[in-house]
């Protein structure tokens, strides 16, 4: 009894727990089966059975290096079973080797490394280190150590959204310590580059306000468009004002592609930099790396850039294994492959007239007889220029941002003013070039994504210019395996769709002319539509349902051509959207087809409404007649037959006469109503001449 009581109490104590972890647990096979279903299917997360509506998940096929990176995490977990002394020797070896290799690969000699999972964590730690170098007592006195002179962190307006406030929040600094520096440039130059003049002015203003410039966050490839700041100019400014310079961006990967002779001192790229190796190399589970230079180990440990905690030190184990497996050639091969893809696309777009590349001024074609003028310099100047070019990362463009930009319509053929499709004198072209440009580029992106999914393109909004297409192979090529043939295919598809856009732009004016000549078609402004345009059919018959009318028109038009859609104007009215067209398309005949189908649908709708009206009136008349006959029948049978108990006795004593069932017939041709008495007697439907006349 005592054991049963303890068992019941033990079972009751676990009632508040989820059922899956109650009692003695589940079989390992069931747990692994559940995990397998969760990995293989998108919507299978409960139970081991696979629902009928499951969708297979898109799983990435891992190469050998990726499998090694994943395996490294299991090895890291196993290492924690070792003795502390053995584990300390392993972690020290792994950390020191990885730091040396990374610093040599990215030409950041004599640097320390911090390995972290969150890309922003490295920026926060080096900012904390920079503040401690300027304010040694800040670590234990807090903001009292500033003595009224607040530090300032300078962030470009092209930086990642929310990065500046996040840094101030993590460091416990007020928002006034953040200074956003404006960018300066033109669409043909790097417009997202920090303006050195604005930065110098901001530093002067802060120093005049008794503040201390502490950190500048610069970019070797901005997050959105990949533009690179003038790092040499910013570096000189930081040395002048004793400011810490931290550099981030995908263009830092270019540092691995070039080597500097030993007798030449390589130019510095700042005091610290953050490298996103997992993204650049296409390797899962590889940590981010922040390289920094500091001569005070105590401060480095105080801000958390180094740790004695062994699990933290082993964070770089996947990177240590992968770097040895890839080697120098393998790592450079993956980065060079991405740069080659970017260069292939860039050189092809550079010669495409209708395409604008953001931040790049297209080469001017030489006139006949014109020669290129070359200014020769000394060998010292040439070497200095080469190193400077490496510093500002002008040797390649890892990120290509482009768009279709030619929306100027070619002059249409001249039309006599008395012609049917002549343009009215008061006709105003309502096409907004910028709005249509955004719509055309959005359509272009959809087509490229559908036809060439192996080339990852993104749609970005660049203020104040509009939408652009972004190709950043360093962020995607090694993940999905983009090949040069994929870029060639993308360029071919791009040329085909650019021809469609050009043809559509050329036909838009003729389309508006054809619509203006028709009284039954009304143009509808649709600025976000990339096709020919939009129209609304105006029926002659009042009271028709416009939405049903246009739905039927679109259904019939789609049976012959899929380039039609049902749209809605800004005031909620339905309309027909005309899609893209190819060169040589007869726009006037297309408009006539739409008009003819509109008339047919209108006539059908009018006849249907007349029929519905007849049916409604006929049903109402039939109900009235049946109600009258029912009243007359009640009067003939008498009142006693309607009383429940008495009526049954009366019906037994004197049964009522059996009469044929009565109803009503309705002739759809004439709209007349007749009796069904003859139909029930003869069991035939008889059509009287009076009804058919």
């Amino acid at each position: 009894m005592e054991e049963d009581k303890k068992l019941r109490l033990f079972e009751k104590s676990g009632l508040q727990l989820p059922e899956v972890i109650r009692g003695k647990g589940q079989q390992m096979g069931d747990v692994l089966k559940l995990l397998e279903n969760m990995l293989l299917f998108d919507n299978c997360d409960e139970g081991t059975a696979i629902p009928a509506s499951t969708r297979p998940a898109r799983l990435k096929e891992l190469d050998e290096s990726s499998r090694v990176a994943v395996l490294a995490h299991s090895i890291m977990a196993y290492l924690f079973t070792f003795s502390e002394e053995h584990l300390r020797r392993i972690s020290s070896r792994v950390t020191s080797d990885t730091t040396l290799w990374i610093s040599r690969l990215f030409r950041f000699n004599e640097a320390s490394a911090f390995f972290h999972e969150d890309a922003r964590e490295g920026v926060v730690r080096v900012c904390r280190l920079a503040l401690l170098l300027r304010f040694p007592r800040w670590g234990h006195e807090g903001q009292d150590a500033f003595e009224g002179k607040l530090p300032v962190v300078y962030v470009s307006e092209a930086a990642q959204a929310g990065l500046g406030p996040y840094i101030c929040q993590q460091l416990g600094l007020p928002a006034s310590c953040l200074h956003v520096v404006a960018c300066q440039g033109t669409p043909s130059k790097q417009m997202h580059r920090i303006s050195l003049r604005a930065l110098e002015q901001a530093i002067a203003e802060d120093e005049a306000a008794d503040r201390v410039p502490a950190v500048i966050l610069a970019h070797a490839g901005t997050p959105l468009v990949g533009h690179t700041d003038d790092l040499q100019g910013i570096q000189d400014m930081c040395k002048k004002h004793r400011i810490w310079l931290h550099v981030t961006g995908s263009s830092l990967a270019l540092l691995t592609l070039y080597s500097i002779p030993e007798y030449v001192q390589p130019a510095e790229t700042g005091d610290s930099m953050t490298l996103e190796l997992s993204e650049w190399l296409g390797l899962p589970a590889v940590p981010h790396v922040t390289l920094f230079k500091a001569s005070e180990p105590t401060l480095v440990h105080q801000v958390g850039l180094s740790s004695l905690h062994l699990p933290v030190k082993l964070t770089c184990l996947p990177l240590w294994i992968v770097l040895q497996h890839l080697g120098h050639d393998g790592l450079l091969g993956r980065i060079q492959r991405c740069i080659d893809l970017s260069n292939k696309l860039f050189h092809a777009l550079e010669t495409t007239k209708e395409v604008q590349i953001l931040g790049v001024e297209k080469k001017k074609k030489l006139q006949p007889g014109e020669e290129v003028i070359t200014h020769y310099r000394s060998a010292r100047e040439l070497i200095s220029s080469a190193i400077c070019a490496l510093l500002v990362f002008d040797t390649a463009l890892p990120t290509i941002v482009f768009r279709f930009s030619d929306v100027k319509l070619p002059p249409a053929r001249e039309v006599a003013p008395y012609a049917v499709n002549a343009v009215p004198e008061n006709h105003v072209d309502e096409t907004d070039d910028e709005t249509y440009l955004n719509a055309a580029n959005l359509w272009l992106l959809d087509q490229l994504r559908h036809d060439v999914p192996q080339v990852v393109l993104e749609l970005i909004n660049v203020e104040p210019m509009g939408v652009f297409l972004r190709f950043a192979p360093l962020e995607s090529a090694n993940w999905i395996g983009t090949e040069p043939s994929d870029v060639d295919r993308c360029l071919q598809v791009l040329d085909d769709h650019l021809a469609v856009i050009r043809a559509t732009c050329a036909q838009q004016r003729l389309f508006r002319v054809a619509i203006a000549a028709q009284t039954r078609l009304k143009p509808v402004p649709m600025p976000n539509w990339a096709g020919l345009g939009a129209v609304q059919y105006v029926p002659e018959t009042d009271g028709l349902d416009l939405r049903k009318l246009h739905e039927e028109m679109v259904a019939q038009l789609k049976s012959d051509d899929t380039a039609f859609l049902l749209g809605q104007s800004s005031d909620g009215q339905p309309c027909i959207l005309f899609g893209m067209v190819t060169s040589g398309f007869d726009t006037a005949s297309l408009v006539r087809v739409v008009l003819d189908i509109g008339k047919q649908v209108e006539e059908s709708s009018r006849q249907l409404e007349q029929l519905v009206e007849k049916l409604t009136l006929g049903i109402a008349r039939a109900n009235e007649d049946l109600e009258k006959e029912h009243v007359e029948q009640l009067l003939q049978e008498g009142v006693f037959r309607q009383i429940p108990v008495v009526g049954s006795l009366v019906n037994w004593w004197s049964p009522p006469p059996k009469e044929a069932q009565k109803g009503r017939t309705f002739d759809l041709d004439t709209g007349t109503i007749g009796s069904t008495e003859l139909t029930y007697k003869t069991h035939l439907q008889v059509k009287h001449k009076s009804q058919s006349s």
Side-chain angles (χ1 to χ4, degrees):
M1 293 295 295
E2 188 67 23
E3 293 181 357
D4 293 341
K5 183 177 180 181
K6 290 182 179 180
L7 181 60
R8 288 194 299 269
L9 290 176
F10 179 76
E11 292 177 351
K12 290 182 178 180
S13 63
L15 292 178
Q16 76 279 5
L17 299 176
E19 185 176 357
V20 293
I21 61 173
R22 290 180 187 174
K24 298 180 180 180
Q26 304 183 44
Q27 296 293 329
M28 181 56 65
D30 296 338
V31 177
L32 294 179
K33 184 62 177 178
L34 174 61
L35 178 60
E36 179 184 357
N37 293 339
M38 292 171 60
L39 295 178
L40 296 180
F41 302 97
D42 284 339
N43 55 344
C44 181
D45 54 357
E46 294 184 3
T48 57
I50 303 176
S53 60
T54 53
R55 299 185 305 271
R58 295 182 179 180
L59 302 180
K60 179 183 182 299
E61 184 177 355
L62 301 180
D63 57 11
E64 188 175 3
S65 298
S66 299
R67 291 195 294 268
V68 168
V70 174
L71 179 63
H73 279 266
S74 299
I75 297 176
M76 183 169 57
Y78 174 69
L79 289 178
F80 293 140
T81 62
F82 288 19
S83 64
E84 184 176 354
E85 183 180 356
H86 190 186
L87 184 60
R88 182 177 292 106
R89 287 198 302 269
I90 295 175
S91 61
S92 299
R93 168 74 181 277
V94 170
T95 304
S96 60
D97 288 350
T98 309
T99 300
L100 177 63
W101 299 339
I102 294 295
S103 61
R104 293 290 178 84
L105 284 170
F106 289 89
R107 301 198 292 109
F108 206 72
N109 299 331
E110 299 179 359
S112 301
F114 171 59
F115 305 94
H116 48 97
E117 301 296 333
D118 189 352
R120 301 177 299 179
E121 187 62 26
V123 181
V124 173
R125 300 288 178 93
V126 296
C127 287
R128 184 175 286 115
L129 176 61
L131 292 181
L132 279 177
L133 291 174
R134 296 299 297 269
F135 304 96
R137 294 184 290 112
W138 178 56
H140 56 274
E141 293 185 7
Q143 294 192 13
D144 293 339
F146 298 150
E147 297 179 353
K149 297 182 179 181
L150 291 177
V152 182
V153 178
Y154 298 91
V155 179
S156 168
E157 64 179 357
Q160 179 184 359
L163 178 61
Y166 175 80
I167 292 174
C168 291
Q169 180 183 9
Q170 294 298 314
L171 297 179
L173 299 177
S176 58
C177 293
L178 180 65
H179 199 139
V180 180
V181 184
C183 297
Q184 184 177 3
T186 61
S188 61
K189 297 181 181 180
Q190 295 203 355
M191 59 183 300
H192 280 211
R193 174 184 290 187
I194 287 181
S195 172
L196 294 183
R197 180 180 300 178
L199 180 59
E200 183 69 34
Q201 183 179 356
I203 294 175
E205 291 176 356
D206 290 329
E207 289 179 342
D210 207 16
R211 294 184 177 183
V212 180
V215 182
I216 296 179
L217 302 182
H219 291 93
T222 53
L224 190 64
V225 300
H227 290 175
T228 300
D229 296 327
D230 185 357
L231 298 181
Q232 183 63 59
I234 298 177
Q235 179 74 41
D236 296 339
M237 203 176 299
C238 290
K239 290 180 179 180
K240 177 181 177 182
H241 298 278
R242 295 178 56 219
I243 304 176
W244 184 283
L245 175 59
H246 182 78
V247 184
T248 60
S250 58
S251 292
L252 289 173
L254 298 176
L255 293 174
T256 63
L257 302 181
Y258 305 95
S259 60
I260 299 296
E262 295 181 358
Y263 55 85
V264 177
Q265 181 66 29
E268 296 182 359
T269 53
D271 299 293
S272 58
M273 62 170 65
T274 296
L275 310 173
E276 301 181 6
L277 297 179
S278 176
E279 187 176 77
W280 301 343
L281 302 178
L283 298 174
V286 172
H288 301 282
V289 182
T290 295
L291 299 177
F292 61 94
K293 295 181 179 180
S295 57
E296 300 186 22
T298 304
L299 295 182
V300 172
H301 181 72
Q302 185 176 350
V303 300
L305 286 171
S306 66
S307 176
L308 299 177
H309 191 44
L310 297 181
V312 175
K313 297 185 69 174
L314 280 175
T315 305
C316 62
L317 180 62
L319 189 57
W320 182 79
I321 297 177
V322 168
L323 287 178
Q324 294 183 85
H325 178 261
L326 287 176
H328 183 254
D329 293 342
L331 185 141
L332 264 62
R334 294 199 172 207
I335 296 178
Q336 185 65 58
R337 177 165 160 266
C338 297
I339 302 302
D340 292 342
L341 295 175
S342 179
N343 289 337
K344 176 182 282 290
L345 183 66
F346 170 74
H347 291 308
L349 296 179
E350 194 178 21
T351 58
T352 305
K353 180 182 177 181
E354 297 87 353
V355 172
Q356 174 191 6
I357 305 177
L358 186 65
V360 176
E361 186 173 1
K362 289 192 174 182
K363 297 179 180 179
K364 180 182 177 182
K365 292 185 178 180
L366 297 178
Q367 300 298 328
E370 186 177 359
E371 297 181 357
V372 180
I373 300 176
T374 305
H375 299 279
Y376 294 97
R377 296 172 293 180
S378 64
R380 182 185 296 272
E381 291 176 339
L382 290 175
I383 294 176
S384 177
S385 175
I387 297 176
C388 183
L390 292 179
L391 177 63
V392 296
F393 306 96
D394 287 337
T395 55
L397 290 175
T399 302
I400 308 297
V401 179
F402 65 97
R403 68 170 177 175
F404 167 77
S405 62
D406 187 8
V407 295
K408 295 181 180 179
L409 303 180
R413 59 184 177 88
E414 294 185 2
V415 181
Y418 50 80
V420 176
N421 56 351
V423 181
E425 295 182 358
N426 58 351
H427 176 72
V428 179
D429 190 355
E430 298 180 353
T431 302
D432 185 349
D433 287 351
E434 290 299 328
T435 305
Y436 179 77
L437 194 64
N438 294 338
N441 281 283
L442 179 58
W443 176 84
L444 181 61
L445 175 68
D446 291 338
Q447 302 304 313
L448 292 175
R449 281 179 172 176
H450 178 268
D451 296 340
V452 196
Q454 296 82 6
V455 177
V456 178
L457 295 171
E458 298 177 88
L459 189 75
I460 61 174
N461 186 22
V462 180
E463 295 292 345
M465 301 182 63
V467 299
F468 280 79
L469 278 64
R470 179 177 182 266
F471 177 59
L474 272 174
E475 300 176 4
S476 60
N478 286 320
W479 282 101
I480 66 174
T482 306
E483 298 293 339
S485 58
D486 298 326
V487 177
D488 292 334
R489 169 64 178 161
C490 179
L491 290 171
Q492 180 61 45
V493 173
L494 177 64
D495 289 339
D496 296 340
H497 291 311
L498 288 178
V500 172
I501 296 178
R502 286 194 299 267
T504 303
C505 292
Q507 293 288 334
Q508 280 183 347
R509 184 175 183 274
L510 297 178
F511 175 76
R512 291 192 292 271
V513 169
I515 295 299
Q518 304 294 337
T519 58
R520 304 282 290 275
L521 295 178
K522 174 185 175 183
V524 178
M526 295 292 288
N528 294 322
W529 178 248
L532 278 177
V535 299
Q536 184 183 74
Y537 181 79
V538 182
E540 291 182 346
T541 307
D542 296 333
L544 293 180
D545 190 340
L546 290 180
R547 180 163 295 278
K548 291 183 178 179
L549 176 66
H550 285 79
E551 287 178 354
E552 182 62 27
M553 289 179 62
V554 171
Q556 294 191 22
L557 289 170
K558 275 190 170 183
S559 62
D560 297 329
D561 193 343
T562 59
F564 295 95
L565 290 175
L566 180 66
Q568 183 173 318
S569 62
S570 57
D571 56 354
Q573 294 297 322
C575 62
I576 300 176
L577 300 176
F578 289 69
M580 313 294 285
V581 297
T582 56
S583 60
F585 189 81
D586 190 354
T587 305
S589 63
L590 178 65
V591 172
R592 288 193 296 270
V593 168
V594 174
L595 181 62
D596 294 340
I597 290 180
K599 292 179 180 179
Q600 296 174 8
V601 174
E602 180 186 0
E603 180 64 22
S604 301
S605 300
R606 185 182 60 80
Q607 294 178 0
L608 181 61
E609 289 201 358
Q610 291 178 354
L611 179 61
V612 171
E613 184 179 357
K614 287 182 180 181
L615 286 174
T616 303
L617 294 176
I619 292 173
R621 288 173 54 189
N623 288 332
E624 292 178 0
D625 293 345
L626 292 175
E627 184 67 26
K628 289 180 181 180
E629 291 182 359
H630 181 65
V631 172
E632 292 176 358
Q633 182 181 3
L634 291 178
L635 294 176
Q636 292 176 0
E637 292 178 353
V639 179
F640 290 104
R641 293 185 185 274
Q642 311 306 320
I643 301 175
V645 178
V646 178
S648 60
L649 294 175
V650 174
N651 291 334
W652 173 78
W653 180 262
S654 177
K658 294 183 179 180
E659 296 184 359
Q661 296 180 356
K662 294 183 179 181
R664 292 295 183 267
T665 62
F666 184 74
D667 193 336
L668 295 178
D669 293 334
T670 62
T672 57
I673 298 176
S675 176
T676 59
E677 184 176 358
L678 183 61
T679 302
Y680 283 111
K681 287 182 179 180
T682 61
H683 299 284
L684 296 173
Q685 289 186 352
V686 181
K687 187 174 184 180
H688 298 283
K689 294 183 179 180
S690 59
Q691 293 181 350
S692 61
S693 60

